[in-house]
Amino acid sequence: MKVFKHLMVIASICAMSVPAHAQIVGIPVGRDAAPGMAGEMRASGNITIGDDINLYGGRFAYNIMDEAFIFGDLGILDPDRGDTGFGLQAGGQLTLPVHDAPLDFAVRGTLGYASLDQDERGFSVDIDIISFSAAGIVSHTIDEMFSVYGVLGLAYWRWDFSPGGSDSETEIMVGGGATVSLNPQFGLYGEVVIVDDPWFTFGGTFRF
């Protein structure tokens, strides 16, 4: 009976973890589709708020050319039920060569990993998550200060429970946001992205 109870607890934790861990799948976007400048570096920090888990993270991005940049993220995952964990994410974005158009278009991909514990009724499960995302971004620069962007793509993640096995899921990734350049070096952004559940992100960016 005790073993059965533990199995039921594990099953309930697994079910609750599915939407919560969409958090690390390509989130946050944090940037429009406009090209940058080769050699430009950006450091940013963000807070992402979800129903069951929040993320506090930082990102470093480097433009390898005007039309493309790569980035790496390091974050802390703070679940409502469980111990604080960590997340890593890397990715890149390429602006597409669409000329004489009022909109900019880009493609974006990410690879992520996270590890944390989830608690339920005094029982803890260790969870490891590997994630991928691929998305398109469209944006419009309103003026030198403001731009808006939208994102549409697919997000895949696989989670391994110890004890308890593993599972995976693929979801549509859709959302949008806005950026504000306060001066040539410093800017702010806000966005909402839905991957199974809505996630709200607020952040700031410093350009080198």
Side-chain angles (χ1 to χ4, degrees):
M1 189 68 181
K2 187 175 181 181
V3 173
F4 177 76
K5 182 179 179 180
H6 282 184
L7 291 175
M8 291 300 294
V9 170
I10 292 171
S12 65
I13 292 174
C14 295
M16 290 184 300
S17 298
V18 172
H21 299 140
Q23 170 76 37
I24 67 166
V25 186
I27 300 173
V29 176
R31 191 161 167 177
D32 60 21
M37 296 180 60
E40 179 183 80
M41 294 179 287
R42 300 190 186 195
S44 58
N46 66 270
I47 299 173
T48 300
I49 300 171
D51 286 339
D52 301 312
I53 189 170
N54 297 333
L55 172 67
Y56 311 96
R59 170 175 295 172
F60 178 80
Y62 176 74
N63 270 80
I64 56 177
M65 54 191 294
D66 289 354
E67 297 82 9
F69 68 88
I70 55 176
F71 62 88
D73 297 350
L74 176 62
I76 296 174
L77 287 78
D78 183 19
D80 291 344
R81 293 178 296 273
D83 298 330
T84 300
F86 73 93
L88 303 171
Q89 186 169 251
Q93 181 170 306
L94 174 67
T95 298
L96 301 178
V98 180
H99 302 290
D100 301 322
L103 302 175
D104 293 301
F105 298 89
V107 290
R108 180 179 187 269
T110 67
L111 167 65
Y113 170 79
S115 178
L116 74 162
D117 296 332
Q118 195 84 7
D119 293 334
E120 180 72 14
R121 300 174 185 174
F123 195 78
S124 179
V125 174
D126 297 325
I127 305 172
D128 293 317
I129 310 110
I130 296 176
S131 65
F132 304 91
S133 76
I137 299 174
V138 58
S139 68
H140 173 61
T141 301
I142 299 173
D143 54 31
E144 294 182 354
M145 189 173 184
F146 297 99
S147 69
V148 293
Y149 60 89
V151 57
L152 176 64
L154 291 175
Y156 166 87
W157 68 100
R158 174 187 174 87
W159 53 98
D160 295 299
F161 303 94
S162 179
S166 63
D167 207 340
S168 63
E169 189 162 326
T170 301
E171 291 283 350
I172 293 175
M173 176 181 181
V174 60
T179 67
V180 181
S181 295
L182 302 179
N183 59 49
Q185 283 75 44
F186 185 69
L188 300 173
Y189 73 90
E191 69 179 38
V192 56
V193 175
I194 299 173
V195 184
D196 199 33
D197 284 329
W199 303 93
F200 301 89
T201 299
F202 308 92
T205 302
F206 184 81
R207 301 176 181 87
F208 296 89

